Amino acid sequence: MKRILVTGALGQIGSELVPALREKHGSDNVVASDIRMPARRQERQAPFEYVDCTARRMIDEVVRKYEIGTIYHLASLLSAVAEEKPHVAWDVNMGGLYRVLEVARENGCAVFFPSSIGAFGASTPKDGTPQDTLQRPTTMYGVTKVAGELLCDYYHGRFGVDTRGLRYPGLISHVAPPGGGTTDYAVEIFYEAIRNRRYTCFLGADTRLDMMYMPDAIKAAIDLMEADPERLVHRNAFNVTAVNFTPEQLAAEIGKHIPEFTIAYDVDPVRQAIADSWPNSLDDSAAREEWGWDPKYDLATLVADMLENLERKLARG
Ligand code: NAD
Ligand code: SER
């Protein structure tokens, strides 16, 4: 089989996508890459390459060396970091994607591109946001996500590159920490609940956003890339969602397991403004119809599983 390359592989998603792909396709067939080096020795034993996605030569060399057939392009700056460093975000998010697409065009690779709820803006319908709707984001992150979706569609229509993408909501996981997004509170809260029994949230109590547990996010990416292309009406990018809550509701669910847990609020105006510009909830019926999207985790099962895994991880030190 042609091999798989994952860029930005040491981040929150890549840390779980790479093992899932290796489990499915064999370790030697999945090449992890990043601009950081793996911390653990066993991760260095499987194929790992230093690849800066803004350097086309590096992507090209790895794709040719390993005969790559599919690129999961995860390297990116997330919403809060991108707002702090908009120029770097443009270079990494757009420059990286453009170079990945060019290498894919020349080498016949398929490309997975993760878009986001950040691809929407304040003028988008907020509840049950449709698959096809207004996209006028006001953040640099959102600008790069909309432009990225369009660029992926262009490379498919113009050059026949098999590009596919998802608009992920906030992702919750216990393996690797989140990389500087607006939805990071929904991960931090678990660490603080276990360590200190209290958490001060940087978003307001009633900020409603869609979220998803990482096992569902990984399954979505792999299922989409393996879906029958004949069934795909849309490509870049599918709305996907799994759970929907406010910080207050997440805290209440955690409180069922840790009764002494308390939440307080110290709102960060920058991240609050970003969150307020995003949809309250997405309509993901296109993903369900076109490639069978069907998440497994709801709020109760997500919280129970997060607490169990994180308690074990933190106990190990
Ligand atoms: P992350 O910040 O945890 O990881 C990104 C990785 O990219 C890091 O390991 C970083 O070292 C690497 N990187 C940065 N610049 C690079 C470069 N120039 N070349 C190569 N690697 C570079 O991000 P993540 O949460 O794993 O997200 C991956 C993708 O999914 C991003 O496109 C993100 O926008 C998207 N996404 C994530 C979420 C979420 O909640 N995590 C939600 C929606 C969309
Ligand atoms: N979780 C991501 C962020 O907050 C959404 O794309 O940036």
Side-chain angles (χ1 to χ4, degrees), residues 141-174:
Y141 181 69
V143 168
T144 66
K145 288 303 182 190
V146 178
E149 291 182 9
L150 293 172
L151 196 60
C152 285
D153 271 344
Y154 180 79
Y155 269 71
H156 177 251
R158 176 78 168 80
F159 302 120
V161 177
D162 184 1
T163 55
R164 306 180 188 196
L166 299 172
R167 292 182 190 130
Y168 279 132
L171 301 181
I172 300 172
S173 68
H174 54 82

PDB file of all heavy atoms in Angstrom, residues 141-174:
ATOM      1  N   TYR A 141      -7.573  32.991  12.270  1.00  0.00           N
ATOM      2  CA  TYR A 141      -7.766  31.534  12.219  1.00  0.00           C
ATOM      3  C   TYR A 141      -8.916  31.197  11.258  1.00  0.00           C
ATOM      4  O   TYR A 141      -8.778  30.355  10.367  1.00  0.00           O
ATOM      5  CB  TYR A 141      -8.085  31.039  13.632  1.00  0.00           C
ATOM      6  CG  TYR A 141      -8.282  29.548  13.766  1.00  0.00           C
ATOM      7  CD1 TYR A 141      -7.220  28.664  13.604  1.00  0.00           C
ATOM      8  CD2 TYR A 141      -9.538  29.024  14.102  1.00  0.00           C
ATOM      9  CE1 TYR A 141      -7.404  27.292  13.766  1.00  0.00           C
ATOM     10  CE2 TYR A 141      -9.719  27.665  14.272  1.00  0.00           C
ATOM     11  CZ  TYR A 141      -8.648  26.801  14.104  1.00  0.00           C
ATOM     12  OH  TYR A 141      -8.827  25.449  14.263  1.00  0.00           O
ATOM     13  N   GLY A 142     -10.044  31.896  11.434  1.00  0.00           N
ATOM     14  CA  GLY A 142     -11.202  31.625  10.586  1.00  0.00           C
ATOM     15  C   GLY A 142     -10.942  31.954   9.130  1.00  0.00           C
ATOM     16  O   GLY A 142     -11.365  31.208   8.232  1.00  0.00           O
ATOM     17  N   VAL A 143     -10.235  33.061   8.893  1.00  0.00           N
ATOM     18  CA  VAL A 143      -9.899  33.434   7.509  1.00  0.00           C
ATOM     19  C   VAL A 143      -9.083  32.312   6.855  1.00  0.00           C
ATOM     20  O   VAL A 143      -9.341  31.911   5.713  1.00  0.00           O
ATOM     21  CB  VAL A 143      -9.117  34.772   7.493  1.00  0.00           C
ATOM     22  CG1 VAL A 143      -8.506  35.041   6.129  1.00  0.00           C
ATOM     23  CG2 VAL A 143     -10.029  35.923   7.899  1.00  0.00           C
ATOM     24  N   THR A 144      -8.107  31.764   7.597  1.00  0.00           N
ATOM     25  CA  THR A 144      -7.277  30.692   7.011  1.00  0.00           C
ATOM     26  C   THR A 144      -8.080  29.402   6.832  1.00  0.00           C
ATOM     27  O   THR A 144      -7.786  28.616   5.934  1.00  0.00           O
ATOM     28  CB  THR A 144      -6.015  30.399   7.856  1.00  0.00           C
ATOM     29  OG1 THR A 144      -6.373  29.861   9.137  1.00  0.00           O
ATOM     30  CG2 THR A 144      -5.158  31.634   8.024  1.00  0.00           C
ATOM     31  N   LYS A 145      -9.094  29.195   7.671  1.00  0.00           N
ATOM     32  CA  LYS A 145      -9.902  27.972   7.521  1.00  0.00           C
ATOM     33  C   LYS A 145     -10.835  28.076   6.304  1.00  0.00           C
ATOM     34  O   LYS A 145     -10.944  27.137   5.524  1.00  0.00           O
ATOM     35  CB  LYS A 145     -10.696  27.686   8.802  1.00  0.00           C
ATOM     36  CG  LYS A 145      -9.835  27.206   9.973  1.00  0.00           C
ATOM     37  CD  LYS A 145      -9.031  25.955   9.626  1.00  0.00           C
ATOM     38  CE  LYS A 145      -8.211  25.436  10.784  1.00  0.00           C
ATOM     39  NZ  LYS A 145      -7.252  24.379  10.392  1.00  0.00           N
ATOM     40  N   VAL A 146     -11.498  29.221   6.133  1.00  0.00           N
ATOM     41  CA  VAL A 146     -12.366  29.376   4.947  1.00  0.00           C
ATOM     42  C   VAL A 146     -11.523  29.324   3.675  1.00  0.00           C
ATOM     43  O   VAL A 146     -11.861  28.622   2.715  1.00  0.00           O
ATOM     44  CB  VAL A 146     -13.140  30.717   4.963  1.00  0.00           C
ATOM     45  CG1 VAL A 146     -13.977  30.839   3.697  1.00  0.00           C
ATOM     46  CG2 VAL A 146     -14.031  30.801   6.161  1.00  0.00           C
ATOM     47  N   ALA A 147     -10.421  30.069   3.677  1.00  0.00           N
ATOM     48  CA  ALA A 147      -9.559  30.071   2.489  1.00  0.00           C
ATOM     49  C   ALA A 147      -9.014  28.664   2.239  1.00  0.00           C
ATOM     50  O   ALA A 147      -8.909  28.225   1.082  1.00  0.00           O
ATOM     51  CB  ALA A 147      -8.418  31.072   2.678  1.00  0.00           C
ATOM     52  N   GLY A 148      -8.702  27.954   3.314  1.00  0.00           N
ATOM     53  CA  GLY A 148      -8.195  26.570   3.187  1.00  0.00           C
ATOM     54  C   GLY A 148      -9.244  25.651   2.582  1.00  0.00           C
ATOM     55  O   GLY A 148      -8.941  24.828   1.706  1.00  0.00           O
ATOM     56  N   GLU A 149     -10.494  25.795   3.029  1.00  0.00           N
ATOM     57  CA  GLU A 149     -11.578  24.978   2.453  1.00  0.00           C
ATOM     58  C   GLU A 149     -11.679  25.244   0.950  1.00  0.00           C
ATOM     59  O   GLU A 149     -11.794  24.319   0.136  1.00  0.00           O
ATOM     60  CB  GLU A 149     -12.916  25.319   3.111  1.00  0.00           C
ATOM     61  CG  GLU A 149     -13.032  24.892   4.570  1.00  0.00           C
ATOM     62  CD  GLU A 149     -14.416  25.216   5.148  1.00  0.00           C
ATOM     63  OE1 GLU A 149     -15.326  25.609   4.382  1.00  0.00           O
ATOM     64  OE2 GLU A 149     -14.585  25.062   6.378  1.00  0.00           O
ATOM     65  N   LEU A 150     -11.654  26.534   0.590  1.00  0.00           N
ATOM     66  CA  LEU A 150     -11.798  26.904  -0.828  1.00  0.00           C
ATOM     67  C   LEU A 150     -10.624  26.407  -1.660  1.00  0.00           C
ATOM     68  O   LEU A 150     -10.786  25.918  -2.781  1.00  0.00           O
ATOM     69  CB  LEU A 150     -11.934  28.426  -0.959  1.00  0.00           C
ATOM     70  CG  LEU A 150     -13.219  29.017  -0.372  1.00  0.00           C
ATOM     71  CD1 LEU A 150     -13.152  30.543  -0.379  1.00  0.00           C
ATOM     72  CD2 LEU A 150     -14.436  28.550  -1.161  1.00  0.00           C
ATOM     73  N   LEU A 151      -9.418  26.533  -1.078  1.00  0.00           N
ATOM     74  CA  LEU A 151      -8.222  26.079  -1.804  1.00  0.00           C
ATOM     75  C   LEU A 151      -8.278  24.562  -2.034  1.00  0.00           C
ATOM     76  O   LEU A 151      -7.923  24.070  -3.114  1.00  0.00           O
ATOM     77  CB  LEU A 151      -6.972  26.460  -0.996  1.00  0.00           C
ATOM     78  CG  LEU A 151      -5.641  26.422  -1.727  1.00  0.00           C
ATOM     79  CD1 LEU A 151      -5.627  27.378  -2.918  1.00  0.00           C
ATOM     80  CD2 LEU A 151      -4.494  26.773  -0.765  1.00  0.00           C
ATOM     81  N   CYS A 152      -8.734  23.836  -1.028  1.00  0.00           N
ATOM     82  CA  CYS A 152      -8.855  22.377  -1.178  1.00  0.00           C
ATOM     83  C   CYS A 152      -9.884  22.044  -2.259  1.00  0.00           C
ATOM     84  O   CYS A 152      -9.660  21.143  -3.085  1.00  0.00           O
ATOM     85  CB  CYS A 152      -9.250  21.734   0.155  1.00  0.00           C
ATOM     86  SG  CYS A 152      -7.899  21.666   1.339  1.00  0.00           S
ATOM     87  N   ASP A 153     -11.019  22.751  -2.267  1.00  0.00           N
ATOM     88  CA  ASP A 153     -12.012  22.516  -3.325  1.00  0.00           C
ATOM     89  C   ASP A 153     -11.427  22.853  -4.700  1.00  0.00           C
ATOM     90  O   ASP A 153     -11.671  22.155  -5.689  1.00  0.00           O
ATOM     91  CB  ASP A 153     -13.268  23.374  -3.082  1.00  0.00           C
ATOM     92  CG  ASP A 153     -14.293  22.651  -2.215  1.00  0.00           C
ATOM     93  OD1 ASP A 153     -14.200  21.420  -2.049  1.00  0.00           O
ATOM     94  OD2 ASP A 153     -15.184  23.332  -1.678  1.00  0.00           O
ATOM     95  N   TYR A 154     -10.643  23.924  -4.754  1.00  0.00           N
ATOM     96  CA  TYR A 154     -10.022  24.329  -6.029  1.00  0.00           C
ATOM     97  C   TYR A 154      -9.076  23.225  -6.535  1.00  0.00           C
ATOM     98  O   TYR A 154      -9.117  22.855  -7.718  1.00  0.00           O
ATOM     99  CB  TYR A 154      -9.255  25.637  -5.853  1.00  0.00           C
ATOM    100  CG  TYR A 154      -8.594  26.102  -7.121  1.00  0.00           C
ATOM    101  CD1 TYR A 154      -9.338  26.746  -8.114  1.00  0.00           C
ATOM    102  CD2 TYR A 154      -7.239  25.874  -7.342  1.00  0.00           C
ATOM    103  CE1 TYR A 154      -8.735  27.152  -9.293  1.00  0.00           C
ATOM    104  CE2 TYR A 154      -6.631  26.279  -8.524  1.00  0.00           C
ATOM    105  CZ  TYR A 154      -7.380  26.916  -9.499  1.00  0.00           C
ATOM    106  OH  TYR A 154      -6.788  27.303 -10.667  1.00  0.00           O
ATOM    107  N   TYR A 155      -8.244  22.710  -5.647  1.00  0.00           N
ATOM    108  CA  TYR A 155      -7.298  21.666  -6.065  1.00  0.00           C
ATOM    109  C   TYR A 155      -8.021  20.394  -6.492  1.00  0.00           C
ATOM    110  O   TYR A 155      -7.542  19.653  -7.349  1.00  0.00           O
ATOM    111  CB  TYR A 155      -6.259  21.381  -4.958  1.00  0.00           C
ATOM    112  CG  TYR A 155      -5.038  22.247  -5.125  1.00  0.00           C
ATOM    113  CD1 TYR A 155      -5.078  23.614  -4.871  1.00  0.00           C
ATOM    114  CD2 TYR A 155      -3.827  21.719  -5.612  1.00  0.00           C
ATOM    115  CE1 TYR A 155      -3.976  24.429  -5.062  1.00  0.00           C
ATOM    116  CE2 TYR A 155      -2.716  22.519  -5.807  1.00  0.00           C
ATOM    117  CZ  TYR A 155      -2.799  23.872  -5.539  1.00  0.00           C
ATOM    118  OH  TYR A 155      -1.709  24.675  -5.751  1.00  0.00           O
ATOM    119  N   HIS A 156      -9.196  20.150  -5.910  1.00  0.00           N
ATOM    120  CA  HIS A 156      -9.967  18.986  -6.357  1.00  0.00           C
ATOM    121  C   HIS A 156     -10.575  19.257  -7.730  1.00  0.00           C
ATOM    122  O   HIS A 156     -10.426  18.451  -8.665  1.00  0.00           O
ATOM    123  CB  HIS A 156     -11.069  18.640  -5.343  1.00  0.00           C
ATOM    124  CG  HIS A 156     -11.922  17.506  -5.814  1.00  0.00           C
ATOM    125  ND1 HIS A 156     -13.230  17.663  -6.218  1.00  0.00           N
ATOM    126  CD2 HIS A 156     -11.639  16.199  -6.002  1.00  0.00           C
ATOM    127  CE1 HIS A 156     -13.709  16.499  -6.619  1.00  0.00           C
ATOM    128  NE2 HIS A 156     -12.762  15.594  -6.493  1.00  0.00           N
ATOM    129  N   GLY A 157     -11.231  20.414  -7.866  1.00  0.00           N
ATOM    130  CA  GLY A 157     -11.908  20.722  -9.132  1.00  0.00           C
ATOM    131  C   GLY A 157     -10.951  20.956 -10.284  1.00  0.00           C
ATOM    132  O   GLY A 157     -11.177  20.496 -11.398  1.00  0.00           O
ATOM    133  N   ARG A 158      -9.854  21.643 -10.023  1.00  0.00           N
ATOM    134  CA  ARG A 158      -8.935  22.057 -11.095  1.00  0.00           C
ATOM    135  C   ARG A 158      -7.912  20.988 -11.444  1.00  0.00           C
ATOM    136  O   ARG A 158      -7.576  20.781 -12.601  1.00  0.00           O
ATOM    137  CB  ARG A 158      -8.238  23.355 -10.639  1.00  0.00           C
ATOM    138  CG  ARG A 158      -7.184  23.891 -11.561  1.00  0.00           C
ATOM    139  CD  ARG A 158      -7.819  24.613 -12.757  1.00  0.00           C
ATOM    140  NE  ARG A 158      -6.830  25.362 -13.489  1.00  0.00           N
ATOM    141  CZ  ARG A 158      -5.986  24.824 -14.376  1.00  0.00           C
ATOM    142  NH1 ARG A 158      -6.034  23.543 -14.620  1.00  0.00           N
ATOM    143  NH2 ARG A 158      -5.117  25.577 -15.009  1.00  0.00           N
ATOM    144  N   PHE A 159      -7.400  20.294 -10.399  1.00  0.00           N
ATOM    145  CA  PHE A 159      -6.293  19.352 -10.630  1.00  0.00           C
ATOM    146  C   PHE A 159      -6.649  17.901 -10.282  1.00  0.00           C
ATOM    147  O   PHE A 159      -5.814  17.012 -10.411  1.00  0.00           O
ATOM    148  CB  PHE A 159      -5.069  19.752  -9.786  1.00  0.00           C
ATOM    149  CG  PHE A 159      -4.562  21.146 -10.054  1.00  0.00           C
ATOM    150  CD1 PHE A 159      -4.516  22.095  -9.047  1.00  0.00           C
ATOM    151  CD2 PHE A 159      -4.121  21.515 -11.321  1.00  0.00           C
ATOM    152  CE1 PHE A 159      -4.045  23.373  -9.284  1.00  0.00           C
ATOM    153  CE2 PHE A 159      -3.645  22.802 -11.575  1.00  0.00           C
ATOM    154  CZ  PHE A 159      -3.617  23.739 -10.560  1.00  0.00           C
ATOM    155  N   GLY A 160      -7.863  17.673  -9.758  1.00  0.00           N
ATOM    156  CA  GLY A 160      -8.263  16.297  -9.431  1.00  0.00           C
ATOM    157  C   GLY A 160      -7.624  15.740  -8.176  1.00  0.00           C
ATOM    158  O   GLY A 160      -7.640  14.524  -7.957  1.00  0.00           O
ATOM    159  N   VAL A 161      -7.062  16.619  -7.311  1.00  0.00           N
ATOM    160  CA  VAL A 161      -6.491  16.121  -6.053  1.00  0.00           C
ATOM    161  C   VAL A 161      -7.652  15.693  -5.144  1.00  0.00           C
ATOM    162  O   VAL A 161      -8.646  16.410  -5.007  1.00  0.00           O
ATOM    163  CB  VAL A 161      -5.643  17.212  -5.345  1.00  0.00           C
ATOM    164  CG1 VAL A 161      -5.115  16.695  -4.012  1.00  0.00           C
ATOM    165  CG2 VAL A 161      -4.498  17.663  -6.247  1.00  0.00           C
ATOM    166  N   ASP A 162      -7.536  14.516  -4.522  1.00  0.00           N
ATOM    167  CA  ASP A 162      -8.604  13.975  -3.677  1.00  0.00           C
ATOM    168  C   ASP A 162      -8.538  14.642  -2.297  1.00  0.00           C
ATOM    169  O   ASP A 162      -7.979  14.098  -1.357  1.00  0.00           O
ATOM    170  CB  ASP A 162      -8.432  12.454  -3.567  1.00  0.00           C
ATOM    171  CG  ASP A 162      -9.571  11.810  -2.789  1.00  0.00           C
ATOM    172  OD1 ASP A 162     -10.489  12.521  -2.348  1.00  0.00           O
ATOM    173  OD2 ASP A 162      -9.527  10.573  -2.619  1.00  0.00           O
ATOM    174  N   THR A 163      -9.084  15.850  -2.210  1.00  0.00           N
ATOM    175  CA  THR A 163      -9.070  16.599  -0.946  1.00  0.00           C
ATOM    176  C   THR A 163     -10.389  16.376  -0.206  1.00  0.00           C
ATOM    177  O   THR A 163     -11.457  16.351  -0.818  1.00  0.00           O
ATOM    178  CB  THR A 163      -8.923  18.115  -1.203  1.00  0.00           C
ATOM    179  OG1 THR A 163      -9.975  18.526  -2.085  1.00  0.00           O
ATOM    180  CG2 THR A 163      -7.581  18.448  -1.822  1.00  0.00           C
ATOM    181  N   ARG A 164     -10.289  16.186   1.119  1.00  0.00           N
ATOM    182  CA  ARG A 164     -11.488  16.001   1.947  1.00  0.00           C
ATOM    183  C   ARG A 164     -11.253  16.685   3.286  1.00  0.00           C
ATOM    184  O   ARG A 164     -10.125  16.684   3.783  1.00  0.00           O
ATOM    185  CB  ARG A 164     -11.764  14.508   2.180  1.00  0.00           C
ATOM    186  CG  ARG A 164     -11.837  13.716   0.887  1.00  0.00           C
ATOM    187  CD  ARG A 164     -12.112  12.248   1.120  1.00  0.00           C
ATOM    188  NE  ARG A 164     -11.984  11.526  -0.146  1.00  0.00           N
ATOM    189  CZ  ARG A 164     -12.438  10.293  -0.361  1.00  0.00           C
ATOM    190  NH1 ARG A 164     -13.041   9.641   0.615  1.00  0.00           N
ATOM    191  NH2 ARG A 164     -12.276   9.718  -1.532  1.00  0.00           N
ATOM    192  N   GLY A 165     -12.306  17.239   3.884  1.00  0.00           N
ATOM    193  CA  GLY A 165     -12.097  17.956   5.146  1.00  0.00           C
ATOM    194  C   GLY A 165     -13.301  17.918   6.070  1.00  0.00           C
ATOM    195  O   GLY A 165     -14.430  17.629   5.659  1.00  0.00           O
ATOM    196  N   LEU A 166     -13.024  18.215   7.334  1.00  0.00           N
ATOM    197  CA  LEU A 166     -14.054  18.270   8.382  1.00  0.00           C
ATOM    198  C   LEU A 166     -14.007  19.628   9.061  1.00  0.00           C
ATOM    199  O   LEU A 166     -12.919  20.148   9.293  1.00  0.00           O
ATOM    200  CB  LEU A 166     -13.769  17.209   9.455  1.00  0.00           C
ATOM    201  CG  LEU A 166     -13.760  15.755   9.026  1.00  0.00           C
ATOM    202  CD1 LEU A 166     -13.269  14.893  10.180  1.00  0.00           C
ATOM    203  CD2 LEU A 166     -15.155  15.325   8.589  1.00  0.00           C
ATOM    204  N   ARG A 167     -15.176  20.140   9.424  1.00  0.00           N
ATOM    205  CA  ARG A 167     -15.218  21.313  10.310  1.00  0.00           C
ATOM    206  C   ARG A 167     -15.395  20.786  11.726  1.00  0.00           C
ATOM    207  O   ARG A 167     -16.522  20.538  12.172  1.00  0.00           O
ATOM    208  CB  ARG A 167     -16.376  22.240   9.942  1.00  0.00           C
ATOM    209  CG  ARG A 167     -16.179  22.918   8.608  1.00  0.00           C
ATOM    210  CD  ARG A 167     -17.336  23.874   8.310  1.00  0.00           C
ATOM    211  NE  ARG A 167     -17.253  24.340   6.937  1.00  0.00           N
ATOM    212  CZ  ARG A 167     -18.254  24.325   6.067  1.00  0.00           C
ATOM    213  NH1 ARG A 167     -19.458  23.866   6.427  1.00  0.00           N
ATOM    214  NH2 ARG A 167     -18.076  24.764   4.837  1.00  0.00           N
ATOM    215  N   TYR A 168     -14.241  20.590  12.396  1.00  0.00           N
ATOM    216  CA  TYR A 168     -14.312  20.072  13.756  1.00  0.00           C
ATOM    217  C   TYR A 168     -14.835  21.140  14.714  1.00  0.00           C
ATOM    218  O   TYR A 168     -14.476  22.323  14.591  1.00  0.00           O
ATOM    219  CB  TYR A 168     -12.912  19.704  14.256  1.00  0.00           C
ATOM    220  CG  TYR A 168     -12.359  18.372  13.830  1.00  0.00           C
ATOM    221  CD1 TYR A 168     -11.062  18.273  13.321  1.00  0.00           C
ATOM    222  CD2 TYR A 168     -13.083  17.194  13.994  1.00  0.00           C
ATOM    223  CE1 TYR A 168     -10.513  17.052  12.970  1.00  0.00           C
ATOM    224  CE2 TYR A 168     -12.543  15.964  13.636  1.00  0.00           C
ATOM    225  CZ  TYR A 168     -11.254  15.899  13.124  1.00  0.00           C
ATOM    226  OH  TYR A 168     -10.700  14.693  12.785  1.00  0.00           O
ATOM    227  N   PRO A 169     -15.565  20.697  15.746  1.00  0.00           N
ATOM    228  CA  PRO A 169     -15.854  21.602  16.872  1.00  0.00           C
ATOM    229  C   PRO A 169     -14.679  21.539  17.853  1.00  0.00           C
ATOM    230  O   PRO A 169     -13.604  21.035  17.495  1.00  0.00           O
ATOM    231  CB  PRO A 169     -17.113  20.976  17.471  1.00  0.00           C
ATOM    232  CG  PRO A 169     -16.966  19.510  17.207  1.00  0.00           C
ATOM    233  CD  PRO A 169     -16.171  19.375  15.924  1.00  0.00           C
ATOM    234  N   GLY A 170     -14.832  22.011  19.084  1.00  0.00           N
ATOM    235  CA  GLY A 170     -13.775  21.886  20.085  1.00  0.00           C
ATOM    236  C   GLY A 170     -13.539  20.411  20.397  1.00  0.00           C
ATOM    237  O   GLY A 170     -14.493  19.650  20.539  1.00  0.00           O
ATOM    238  N   LEU A 171     -12.270  20.029  20.490  1.00  0.00           N
ATOM    239  CA  LEU A 171     -11.952  18.614  20.727  1.00  0.00           C
ATOM    240  C   LEU A 171     -11.439  18.412  22.148  1.00  0.00           C
ATOM    241  O   LEU A 171     -10.611  19.188  22.635  1.00  0.00           O
ATOM    242  CB  LEU A 171     -10.921  18.128  19.705  1.00  0.00           C
ATOM    243  CG  LEU A 171     -11.368  18.250  18.245  1.00  0.00           C
ATOM    244  CD1 LEU A 171     -10.297  17.720  17.301  1.00  0.00           C
ATOM    245  CD2 LEU A 171     -12.689  17.514  18.002  1.00  0.00           C
ATOM    246  N   ILE A 172     -11.917  17.353  22.784  1.00  0.00           N
ATOM    247  CA  ILE A 172     -11.593  17.062  24.185  1.00  0.00           C
ATOM    248  C   ILE A 172     -10.812  15.759  24.233  1.00  0.00           C
ATOM    249  O   ILE A 172     -11.241  14.757  23.644  1.00  0.00           O
ATOM    250  CB  ILE A 172     -12.899  16.962  25.006  1.00  0.00           C
ATOM    251  CG1 ILE A 172     -13.645  18.293  24.915  1.00  0.00           C
ATOM    252  CG2 ILE A 172     -12.613  16.569  26.450  1.00  0.00           C
ATOM    253  CD1 ILE A 172     -15.028  18.279  25.518  1.00  0.00           C
ATOM    254  N   SER A 173      -9.647  15.788  24.913  1.00  0.00           N
ATOM    255  CA  SER A 173      -8.810  14.592  24.922  1.00  0.00           C
ATOM    256  C   SER A 173      -7.874  14.607  26.123  1.00  0.00           C
ATOM    257  O   SER A 173      -7.664  15.648  26.741  1.00  0.00           O
ATOM    258  CB  SER A 173      -7.988  14.518  23.633  1.00  0.00           C
ATOM    259  OG  SER A 173      -7.038  15.567  23.610  1.00  0.00           O
ATOM    260  N   HIS A 174      -7.298  13.432  26.409  1.00  0.00           N
ATOM    261  CA  HIS A 174      -6.420  13.310  27.582  1.00  0.00           C
ATOM    262  C   HIS A 174      -4.988  12.916  27.231  1.00  0.00           C
ATOM    263  O   HIS A 174      -4.138  12.839  28.100  1.00  0.00           O
ATOM    264  CB  HIS A 174      -6.999  12.277  28.562  1.00  0.00           C
ATOM    265  CG  HIS A 174      -7.276  10.945  27.921  1.00  0.00           C
ATOM    266  ND1 HIS A 174      -6.305   9.998  27.732  1.00  0.00           N
ATOM    267  CD2 HIS A 174      -8.416  10.424  27.401  1.00  0.00           C
ATOM    268  CE1 HIS A 174      -6.836   8.959  27.128  1.00  0.00           C
ATOM    269  NE2 HIS A 174      -8.107   9.186  26.909  1.00  0.00           N
TER     270      HIS A 174
END
